[in-house]
Amino acid sequence: MAKDLSLQIFDVEAVASAYVLRYDEFAAGSYVHMHSHRMGHLNYTPHGTMRIDTAEAHFLAPPQYGVWIPPQVEHNCHVQHAALYRSFYVQPQLCAELPQKACMLRISPIVRSILADFAQRDVRVPESAADLRLAQVMVDQLCQARLENSFLPQAQSPALQAVLAGLRAEPGSRQSMADWAAQVHLTERTLARHCQQELGMGLAEWRQRLRHLCAVDALGEGKTVQEIAFDLGYSTASAFIAMFQRETGMTPEQFRRDMALSG
């Protein structure tokens, strides 16, 4: 059952510290309605996927990405499957070098390690000289992080929207580009052009990203690698493992063990 966390929104209005950290565990279906904070903040889950929407953009972030929300930007949050949640708040006057629009940032191993260390020690407000240095390294790393407009971009044209909706409904579909083009009454070349113009990538890459997101959630649910591979349309488990390793840098079982350690 979906759980509305709107009443638990973290209030940073009275916080005077330069940096603040928050740690939560969100149950499946948890969501928070539109709200904003005085401070800018990074939203991150070390496993599972997280959806955050603003008035201008929609973000669906796997574990290797975080969503940066600048000060005063309204946003909501939805977690389809149970996930750990980490956030790092920065005072407005320290956000000048950080992105001025909501965006996805690639999470570096350094940022991931610092967040894990703070969480393990339950550091909510960095106060010691050493912790303040770590927090500043976090900011430096976020300033240098690779920006991603969207991990799974959306379509504008009705025809491509129909194709993407079909893939979301059945991520394991093995229909070819030609099959999808015929289904929406387009030529294969026209559909390919729509993909490049609207998504910035081909349909095959978009589908692989979708399958990666589905795999992350399925691993969190405890499904076996073989089950996930079959559900996502892979003919062999090894083909699925190769895709997952390209996306995350680790095998599905390594990722699952990492999730257990993160918890």
Side-chain angles (χ1 to χ4, degrees):
M1 182 176 180
K3 183 179 180 182
D4 185 355
L5 300 177
S6 298
L7 296 178
Q8 300 178 26
I9 293 174
F10 183 59
D11 182 11
V12 296
E13 294 302 318
V15 176
S17 303
Y19 313 106
V20 179
L21 293 111
R22 175 188 174 192
Y23 317 109
D24 281 299
E25 293 185 20
F26 287 167
S30 298
Y31 63 94
V32 179
H33 292 299
M34 280 289 183
H35 65 287
S36 64
H37 299 295
R38 182 179 59 83
M39 301 171 78
H41 66 297
L42 175 74
N43 300 268
Y44 171 67
T45 175
H47 63 74
T49 58
M50 173 178 54
R51 193 188 80 208
I52 292 181
D53 302 321
T54 70
E56 298 180 347
H58 308 281
F59 305 102
L60 186 58
Q64 62 268 42
Y65 288 89
V67 180
W68 169 254
I69 302 294
Q72 304 293 358
V73 171
E74 287 200 332
H75 60 286
N76 63 20
C77 181
H78 183 271
V79 177
Q80 184 176 357
H81 300 280
L84 293 176
Y85 172 75
R86 308 285 183 246
S87 54
F88 175 66
Y89 290 82
V90 182
Q91 289 288 356
Q93 64 269 26
L94 302 177
C95 292
E97 302 301 318
L98 288 160
Q100 300 303 296
K101 289 188 176 182
C103 62
M104 286 178 57
L105 299 175
R106 184 85 183 193
I107 297 297
S108 71
I110 294 174
V111 168
R112 195 167 184 268
S113 296
I114 292 174
L115 285 173
D117 174 62
F118 278 151
Q120 184 178 19
R121 294 187 291 118
D122 196 29
V123 175
R124 306 287 172 147
V125 177
E127 294 178 324
S128 70
D131 283 345
L132 286 170
R133 285 196 296 270
L134 285 176
Q136 182 57 57
V137 170
M138 279 278 296
V139 173
D140 293 341
Q141 286 284 304
L142 295 178
C143 288
Q144 300 169 23
R146 192 183 84 197
L147 274 63
E148 181 100 16
N149 290 330
S150 177
F151 187 78
L152 200 66
Q154 305 302 304
Q156 288 79 49
S157 65
L160 186 52
Q161 286 175 353
V163 171
L164 301 189
L167 286 171
R168 284 196 192 89
E170 194 177 349
S173 170
R174 296 184 182 180
Q175 285 187 234
S176 66
M177 171 80 84
D179 294 332
W180 285 112
Q183 192 169 314
V184 294
H185 311 293
L186 295 177
T187 66
E188 189 174 351
R189 176 178 290 185
T190 300
L191 179 57
R193 186 173 66 248
H194 277 293
C195 289
Q196 291 299 330
Q197 290 176 345
E198 299 177 37
L199 307 178
M201 64 184 68
L203 189 63
E205 182 180 348
W206 194 94
R207 174 160 45 188
Q208 179 169 300
R209 289 188 177 206
L210 172 67
R211 287 175 171 175
H212 169 58
L213 291 169
C214 293
V216 166
D217 287 331
L219 286 166
E221 293 170 356
K223 289 188 176 182
T224 68
V225 169
Q226 289 77 12
E227 286 176 320
I228 299 169
F230 178 79
D231 290 345
L232 296 182
Y234 289 90
S235 55
T236 64
S238 59
F240 163 67
I241 292 169
M243 177 281 292
F244 195 88
Q245 195 159 14
R246 283 194 301 271
E247 291 291 331
T248 64
M250 61 182 78
T251 68
E253 289 302 343
Q254 287 172 335
F255 181 84
R256 199 198 305 272
R257 287 195 297 271
D258 193 63
M259 286 168 55
L261 292 173
S262 302

